[in-house]
């Protein structure tokens, strides 16, 4: 079924916001975000205040625990077998859900660290592309950008991004019962010690 005119407008609006969010961060900064959570820096929960536009940008990046305990969204997306699935399929063990797109610099920059995390077996990683076009190229794109260990999921309707009102990338940790633990806005180094400690919070 084709999306309604309202849904199309909403998708276009969200896409513009997501692109704007990516534009505010360079690909280099995505890897640099790891320094914001290392041992010598303030805790992600206690980011140092900043003024003006810089403060607003800083506030948009980092951890958000305000939705802890909320159930995972029920929106469906496409699995590697071409069939529809949802986050309910991941219940039983914790899962780190990453919303990304091929056109988002910070998303692409953190793919290698997500790939390494997925390959380590520490936690399941569901990297769900929010690309609306050329979705058949997502698997090859992951292979070429350090995400060979990531299963290619695609949310062509951007249902998850719409539901979260997300700027990309956004990463959400769910526990084994499907309840949110925290969400991370912006890029990150998911192989760092501080990230590993955050992921260990899910049971």
């Amino acid at each position: 079924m084709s999306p309604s005119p309202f849904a199309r407008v909403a998708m276009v609006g969200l896409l513009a916001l997501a692109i704007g969010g990516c534009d505010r961060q360079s690909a280099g900064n995505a890897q640099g975000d790891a320094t914001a959570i290392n041992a010598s820096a303030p805790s992600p929960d206690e980011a140092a205040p900043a003024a003006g536009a810089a403060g607003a940008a800083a506030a948009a990046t980092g951890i958000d625990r305000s939705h802890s305990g909320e159930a995972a969204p029920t929106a469906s997306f496409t699995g590697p077998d071409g069939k529809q699935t949802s986050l309910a399929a991941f219940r039983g063990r914790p899962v780190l859900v990453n919303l990304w797109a091929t056109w988002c610099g910070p998303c692409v920059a953190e793919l290698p660290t997500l790939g390494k995390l997925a390959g380590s077996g520490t936690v399941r990683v569901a990297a769900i592309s929010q690309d609306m076009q050329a979705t058949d190229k997502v698997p090859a794109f992951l292979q070429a950008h350090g995400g060979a260990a990531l299963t290619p999921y695609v949310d062509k309707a951007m249902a998850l991004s719409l539901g979260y009102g997300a700027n990309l990338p956004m990463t959400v940790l769910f526990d084994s019962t499907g309840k949110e633990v925290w969400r991370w806005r912006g890029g990150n180094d998911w192989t760092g010690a501080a990230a590993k400690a955050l992921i260990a919070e899910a049971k």
Side-chain angles (χ1 to χ4, degrees), residues 14-102:
L14 179 61
L15 182 59
L17 286 173
I19 292 172
C22 284
D23 286 344
R24 284 193 294 270
Q25 299 181 69
S26 68
N29 284 345
Q31 293 297 338
D33 284 340
T35 61
I37 59 172
N38 65 28
S40 62
S43 162
D45 292 319
E46 301 173 351
T61 301
I63 201 164
D64 177 0
R65 299 180 184 275
S66 65
H67 301 276
S68 178
E70 292 184 3
T74 59
S76 62
F77 48 91
T78 306
D81 57 0
K83 297 180 180 179
Q84 292 296 292
T85 186
S86 72
L87 294 179
F90 293 90
R91 288 178 188 165
R93 287 190 296 157
V95 60
L96 188 73
V97 175
N98 177 262
L99 304 182
W100 71 286
T102 58

Side-chain angles (χ1 to χ4, degrees), residues 138-167:
V138 168
F141 189 93
L142 289 173
Q143 290 279 341
H145 292 83
L150 297 170
T151 302
Y153 294 101
V154 176
D155 177 13
K156 186 175 182 179
M158 297 180 68
L160 291 171
S161 291
L162 283 168
Y164 280 117
N167 281 339

Side-chain angles (χ1 to χ4, degrees), residues 92-161:
R93 287 190 296 157
V95 60
L96 188 73
V97 175
N98 177 262
L99 304 182
W100 71 286
T102 58
W103 41 261
C104 172
C107 302
V108 177
E110 69 177 355
L111 282 179
T113 69
L114 286 165
K116 289 179 182 177
L117 178 62
S120 72
T122 302
V123 66
R124 290 181 300 172
V125 179
I128 307 175
S129 165
Q130 301 297 289
D131 287 278
M132 299 177 69
Q133 298 178 343
T135 56
D136 58 317
K137 297 181 180 179
V138 168
F141 189 93
L142 289 173
Q143 290 279 341
H145 292 83
L150 297 170
T151 302
Y153 294 101
V154 176
D155 177 13
K156 186 175 182 179
M158 297 180 68
L160 291 171
S161 291

Side-chain angles (χ1 to χ4, degrees), residues 6 16 18 23 36 42 58 60 72 75 104-105 129 143 149-150 165 171 174 178 184 188-189 191 199:
F6 176 80
D23 286 344
C104 172
S129 165
Q143 290 279 341
L150 297 170
T171 305
F174 294 98
W184 183 275
N188 200 1
D189 175 2
T191 60
I199 292 167

